[in-house]
Amino acid sequence: MNELFYNRPQVDLVSESACLLRFSDAVNNETADRISIVAKALRELPGIVDLIPSYTTLLTVFDADHYDRFAIVARIRQLIEQLDYDEKQLSAVREVVIPVYYGPEVGPDLDEVAQHCRLSVNEIISLHSDTSYRAYAIGFTPGFAFLGNTPEVLHVPRKNTPRLKVPLGSVAIAERQTAVYPSVTPGGWQIIGRTPVTLVDWSSESLALIQGGDTVRFTPISRAEFIAMGGTLDGF
């Protein structure tokens, strides 16, 4: 058996209708791989109504009205024991490509980030867009995916004073993570660009473009391409 699954997640009841699977203390791709494979298997288990992945855990919500919680937790443990590592499952991990305009009108913190990292703006853009990220967690607002890890040289602190309004589609970095704001909200991350892509579709079954476990890449686009794709330059 591959050592990826040598350590099985710890399964604990946390309410009458949910249990928490704890996989590791380490936030990395290996942990994300394990969460993705287990989540995929649990989706086929009768009685499961929701799965909420986070950095190192998977909250599993079940139908407590029709299923005994102890019986379903026992079934979850049994399913996990039967799982084996399969490279084909990881090769099927979905990749989401997000076009980004890294321009001063939509990336007001780009120069400040460049100064902090002692790099040029072009180097910041290149490093950010050349990295493949993993959606470790979804939260804060619907569709907000916490993506990691950014290259170490791009680790920057959050802003001392958060903005009261971050425009829709803003691409930002903070500490080891990057993210796209799927709606207009307050925010304290360093904003370096904007995407014209819609991150949340309230009429779709999946709701959010980026799901937990997805890999995400950013691809630079020009100002003209951004506007042609429906992007707007207002908001600041």
Side-chain angles (χ1 to χ4, degrees), residues 87-211:
E87 289 285 353
K88 292 181 180 179
Q89 295 187 66
L90 293 183
S91 65
V93 171
R94 194 172 64 118
E95 182 181 66
V96 180
V97 179
I98 306 291
V100 179
Y101 171 47
Y102 297 92
E105 313 99 310
V106 294
D109 299 321
L110 195 52
D111 284 336
E112 186 178 331
V113 168
Q115 292 175 12
H116 178 88
C117 298
R118 298 183 180 179
L119 297 170
S120 68
V121 166
N122 285 338
E123 287 174 321
I124 296 294
I125 296 171
S126 179
L127 284 165
H128 185 259
S129 60
D130 285 348
T131 302
S132 179
Y133 303 96
R134 198 67 177 267
Y136 286 132
I138 309 293
F140 174 54
T141 61
F144 189 101
F146 292 86
L147 310 174
N149 291 320
T150 53
E152 186 173 355
V153 69
L154 290 186
H155 292 183
V156 294
R158 298 169 187 252
K159 300 190 74 64
N160 292 329
T161 303
R163 290 183 171 89
L164 295 179
K165 186 177 74 171
V166 175
L168 176 72
S170 292
V171 178
I173 58 177
E175 299 165 354
R176 300 172 60 188
Q177 300 177 102
T178 186
V180 183
Y181 284 81
S183 57
V184 179
T185 62
W189 291 31
Q190 309 285 352
I191 301 172
I192 61 174
R194 190 180 299 178
T195 181
V197 172
T198 300
L199 273 292
V200 174
D201 181 357
W202 294 101
S203 64
S204 72
E205 184 176 338
S206 59
L207 178 67
L209 175 63
I210 303 173
Q211 302 291 322

Side-chain angles (χ1 to χ4, degrees), residues 15-18 47 49 61-69 72:
S15 75
E16 292 187 354
S17 60
V49 297
V61 183
F62 47 84
D63 180 2
D65 292 333
H66 298 92
Y67 292 85
D68 177 80
R69 63 184 185 276
I72 202 166

Side-chain angles (χ1 to χ4, degrees), residues 70-85:
F70 298 109
I72 202 166
V73 167
R75 184 68 185 95
I76 290 171
R77 290 194 175 106
Q78 182 184 28
L79 182 147
I80 291 171
E81 287 297 325
Q82 294 171 347
L83 279 176
D84 200 355
Y85 177 73

